[in-house]
Amino acid sequence: MLFTDKMTHITDLTDNEKRIVQYIKKNLEAVSTMSIQTLASKTYTSHSAIVRLAKKFNYSGFKAMRQAISNDVQQNITQLNDIDANFPFSPDDSAINIAKNISDLTINAIKRTLIQVNEEELISSAKMIIDSKRLVLFAIGDTQIRARSLQSKLVKINKFAIIAEEYSDESWSAINLDKNDLAIFLSYTGNNSNYLKLLKFLKKQDVPTLLITGNPNSKLIDYADQNITIVQNEFDVFKVSTFASQMTFEYLLNTLFAIVYSKSYKQNLIKMQSNYDKLMQNDILNNATEPKKRP
């Protein structure tokens, strides 16, 4: 999670801590090389107040927090906030300006995701997919479209996934899982009460679970075996569409599939060629892709 996002999501700050946070927001680059003495002087606070704030952000102290700020500056994170993820265009924008804004938003969303993603989390998540006997995807609304995209990719490498909510059977899908399976939950808001119940149940049953969310404060995280949390500047409800969050899901799921594929790269290519030859030899692929001509 980016430091700039932590400043947005943190709560229960004292007046002094709020003043420090506001100063950092306005002077991110300067603070990245600033001493604790200077920051205390600029914010009319004390060393101890800054250290307490750093620990609220889950850093060991000021130096660790400053390093996180420096990382954001080096990644040019401030340049990624120019496009409003919730309202990326106005009614007065021309068609080409709207096209440019959506392009910029797409690039920004993927860059923000890449900056936040953790390699160990990716490797662990991919291994869970590889090791699973059965795979069930829990996703609703726009997110289910991304889940279906992953489902389509996996079947081509002989990995069959089920969309749990496809026929409103998510409870039955969950109840039949065991320790050899994997349940993947996709929820950007992380506030789905039914998912919380299911995750609690699956944890009791020792069923492996993977959560991908955009909410670092989600209660779902406490019950998932592995989670990937990526924060975008997107509101839960008040927005034109779920542009940024869906780009995040698409990018992450494509990345996980690519990692899974790479672990058996040669075998997957050989199998794909073999399957393709069988389809062509039996005229199955043509029938599936081209309409039959009438006599």
Side-chain angles (χ1 to χ4, degrees):
M1 186 177 180
L2 299 171
F3 179 81
T4 48
D5 291 324
K6 286 187 177 183
M7 288 192 292
T8 301
H9 286 84
I10 197 167
T11 57
D12 300 325
L13 296 177
T14 66
D15 289 340
N16 277 348
E17 289 166 348
K18 288 178 182 177
R19 187 158 64 250
I20 297 169
V21 167
Q22 287 303 315
Y23 182 85
I24 294 174
K25 282 182 179 179
K26 294 178 181 178
N27 303 276
L28 198 67
E29 187 169 356
V31 175
S32 69
T33 58
M34 193 176 284
S35 69
I36 191 170
Q37 293 90 343
T38 303
L39 182 58
S41 174
K42 294 284 187 181
T43 57
Y44 304 100
T45 57
S46 63
H47 292 199
S48 58
I50 294 171
V51 171
R52 283 195 299 271
L53 175 64
K55 290 184 176 179
K56 280 190 177 181
F57 282 124
N58 293 322
Y59 299 113
S60 58
F62 172 71
K63 287 185 178 180
M65 182 174 74
R66 185 177 61 187
Q67 182 59 52
I69 296 170
S70 178
N71 290 342
D72 277 14
V73 171
Q74 289 174 16
Q75 296 285 357
N76 295 319
I77 193 63
T78 54
Q79 296 180 14
L80 302 182
N81 296 325
D82 295 333
I83 301 297
D84 186 345
N86 305 288
F87 299 94
F89 54 86
S90 71
D92 299 324
D93 284 339
S94 65
I96 196 64
N97 281 340
I98 291 175
K100 182 181 183 305
N101 288 353
I102 296 299
S103 171
D104 289 344
L105 177 60
T106 302
I107 294 168
N108 288 359
I110 292 175
K111 282 185 175 180
R112 284 180 65 87
T113 303
L114 180 59
I115 291 168
Q116 295 176 73
V117 80
N118 179 286
E119 185 173 14
E120 290 183 3
E121 291 175 353
L122 288 176
I123 293 171
S124 176
S125 300
K127 188 176 186 303
M128 293 175 81
I129 294 173
I130 293 168
D131 293 343
S132 65
K133 182 180 178 181
R134 294 181 296 180
L135 185 61
V136 178
L137 301 165
F138 293 82
I140 57 176
D142 292 342
T143 306
Q144 192 176 106
I145 298 171
R146 275 73 217 174
R148 287 181 180 279
S149 178
L150 176 63
Q151 180 189 42
S152 176
K153 293 179 180 71
L154 288 172
V155 73
K156 294 177 177 64
I157 58 171
N158 200 29
K159 198 77 178 177
F160 294 88
I162 298 169
I163 304 294
E165 287 96 343
E166 187 165 14
Y167 300 109
S168 300
D169 286 338
E170 61 270 23
S171 298
W172 285 102
S173 296
I175 204 78
N176 283 301
L177 295 177
D178 61 38
K179 63 181 181 181
N180 297 309
D181 303 320
L182 175 64
I184 299 180
F185 290 82
L186 307 177
S187 175
Y188 184 75
T189 63
N191 293 325
N192 189 308
S193 58
N194 190 43
Y195 283 1
L196 183 59
K197 293 178 184 177
L198 292 173
L199 275 164
K200 286 180 178 180
F201 168 77
L202 293 172
K203 192 172 186 66
K204 290 180 182 178
Q205 302 302 311
D206 294 323
V207 176
T209 54
L210 166 63
L211 168 69
I212 302 179
T213 184
N215 180 3
N217 301 314
S218 171
K219 293 180 180 178
L220 304 182
I221 293 174
D222 296 333
Y223 298 94
D225 294 315
Q226 176 67 57
N227 80 88
I228 299 176
T229 303
I230 303 296
V231 179
Q232 297 286 353
N233 293 328
E234 184 177 286
F235 300 146
D236 287 351
V237 178
F238 194 62
K239 55 194 170 188
V240 171
S241 186
T242 56
F243 291 123
S245 58
Q246 295 311 310
M247 291 166 191
T248 297
F249 281 127
E250 187 78 18
Y251 175 65
L252 282 175
L253 293 178
N254 282 341
T255 299
L256 286 174
F257 171 77
I259 296 170
V260 169
Y261 194 105
S262 71
K263 296 302 179 182
S264 302
Y265 192 88
K266 187 175 180 179
Q267 296 94 314
N268 284 328
L269 282 179
I270 293 171
K271 183 66 174 177
M272 181 174 66
Q273 183 63 56
S274 174
N275 286 341
Y276 180 78
D277 290 343
K278 289 178 183 177
L279 289 169
M280 294 300 293
Q281 289 166 10
N282 293 279
D283 201 28
I284 298 174
L285 188 63
N286 287 341
N287 289 342
T289 58
E290 297 179 6
K292 285 186 176 182
K293 294 181 180 179
R294 292 183 178 181

